[in-house]
Amino acid sequence: AAAGLGLFLYPPVFNLLSGWAFRLVSKAPPAGLSRISGATLAIAAFVSIAVMACSGAYAFAALRVFSAQLGLSSFPFIWAAYSVAGVVGTLAIFAPSGLGVREVVQIPLLRVLASQEAVVACIVLQRIGEIGSDLLFWLLTRPLGRTEAES
């Protein structure tokens, strides 16, 4: 998996695949986006991993609220379960924001560590937190999207 990710993030391969993706949807890439450098891809990968780590920490804390016996040693598993569920939810193009799909993936994975009730409560808490963070992001960035005519 790491070798595949490394190959995908190799700039010539990434640029080739992104060019194919734009052609597939019959669109031209935005100006300046036709060639992405290795430095840009490295920064994007670092930020993505940092965001995933924060999401994993949130998932760990949420499950820990309902299952206090969980130790820090369970963090990598919870992080991985949350990440896998996020990927599967993203790939499920029929479900907006992976709604329902992520939960179906998370429940059996997290049941290894906690009761069904704790896992379901954790997942509900995660969704509430995600909706709250989406709303906060929208409120904070809304002024940035206004044009002079709207101001």
Side-chain angles (χ1 to χ4, degrees):
L5 180 62
L7 179 65
F8 179 74
L9 291 177
Y10 181 58
V13 173
F14 182 86
N15 289 323
L16 177 72
L17 293 174
S18 63
W20 284 346
F22 278 112
R23 280 191 295 280
L24 181 68
V25 294
S26 301
K27 290 190 176 187
L33 198 62
S34 60
R35 295 281 175 242
I36 296 177
S37 70
T40 300
L41 287 173
I43 291 168
F46 175 77
V47 170
S48 294
I49 291 169
V51 167
M52 286 175 53
C54 290
S55 296
Y58 179 71
F60 172 74
L63 189 56
R64 187 112 191 245
V65 165
F66 301 104
S67 192
Q69 83 279 5
L70 291 176
L72 195 55
S73 62
S74 61
F75 173 74
F77 182 82
I78 294 169
W79 181 11
Y82 188 80
S83 297
V84 166
V87 168
V88 173
T90 301
L91 293 175
I93 58 172
F94 58 86
S97 195
L99 190 59
V101 176
R102 288 185 351 187
E103 291 76 3
V104 166
V105 172
Q106 280 182 316
I107 289 173
L109 292 174
L110 296 178
R111 276 287 288 124
V112 172
L113 300 174
S115 69
Q116 177 100 7
E117 295 79 14
V119 169
V120 170
C122 164
I123 290 171
V124 169
L125 185 62
Q126 287 174 354
R127 272 294 177 184
I128 291 170
E130 289 169 10
I131 291 168
S133 66
D134 287 344
L135 286 173
L136 181 62
F137 179 78
W138 178 74
L139 287 171
L140 293 175
T141 58
R142 189 170 169 222
L144 299 174
R146 293 187 179 179
T147 64
E148 288 185 28
E150 294 174 347
S151 299

